[in-house]
Amino acid sequence: MILVSACLAGVECRYNGSSYPIPEVVEMVKKGDAMPICPELLAGLPIPRPPAEQQNGMIISSNGEDQTSDYLIGATIALKIALLINCNKAILKSNSPTCGCGVIYDGTFSGHLINGDGIFAKLLKENGIKVCTID
Ligand code: SF4
């Protein structure tokens, strides 16, 4: 089974209540070949919510709140689901502090990118699940 970031499947779960649908991902979900998941919603974070970025290993919202523990809870629950469904691959939204893979925003809320993984992408990789990203 393949996991996909729910926002890539057209679910309006991003911080500003938008989605980022990718037609191929939507089609995979419709056919039952992939399951959408949003770790931030699993953490109980609201829609809308302030954007957040990683800063020195923590996840900080744009209003300065340390939300690392919330984001970690969501990523851990999402990992549990991934393992339950025998997920072997995930297609995740780029640049996100949760789902980003290889490249994430740098914590300055200025659009700059740095090398790094989102908290969920990192957990998946550590558990042997292949992760790729889509812009
Ligand atoms: Fe999309 Fe992942 Fe952010 Fe949820 S946590 S809105 S699935 S990028």
Side-chain angles (χ1 to χ4, degrees), residues 5-7 13-14 37-40 49 93 96 98-99:
S5 293
C7 54
C13 53
R14 297 181 71 213
I37 197 163
C38 177
E40 292 178 17
R49 55 190 175 276
K93 170 76 180 70
S96 151
T98 299
C99 290

Side-chain angles (χ1 to χ4, degrees), residues 4-8 11-15 18-20 36-41 49 71 92-100 120:
V4 297
S5 293
C7 54
L8 297 179
V11 179
E12 289 90 358
C13 53
R14 297 181 71 213
Y15 71 96
S18 70
S19 64
Y20 199 92
I37 197 163
C38 177
E40 292 178 17
L41 292 195
R49 55 190 175 276
Y71 278 68
L92 302 181
K93 170 76 180 70
S94 61
N95 307 339
S96 151
T98 299
C99 290
F120 180 47

Side-chain angles (χ1 to χ4, degrees), residues 49-129:
R49 55 190 175 276
E53 296 187 1
Q54 290 196 25
Q55 293 177 12
N56 301 319
M58 298 184 296
I59 299 185
I60 309 293
S61 69
S62 59
N63 57 17
E65 195 180 336
D66 180 358
Q67 297 199 297
T68 310
S69 61
D70 287 337
Y71 278 68
L72 186 57
I73 287 169
T76 303
I77 293 171
L79 171 67
K80 174 109 188 190
I81 292 170
L83 296 174
L84 276 172
I85 65 168
N86 287 322
C87 167
N88 55 12
K89 181 179 174 185
I91 302 171
L92 302 181
K93 170 76 180 70
S94 61
N95 307 339
S96 151
T98 299
C99 290
C101 176
V103 176
I104 54 174
Y105 288 118
D106 70 355
T108 61
F109 297 93
S110 58
H112 291 134
L113 296 166
I114 53 172
N115 292 333
D117 288 326
I119 195 166
F120 180 47
K122 184 166 180 282
L123 271 184
L124 290 176
K125 286 182 178 179
E126 287 170 357
N127 282 270
I129 297 171

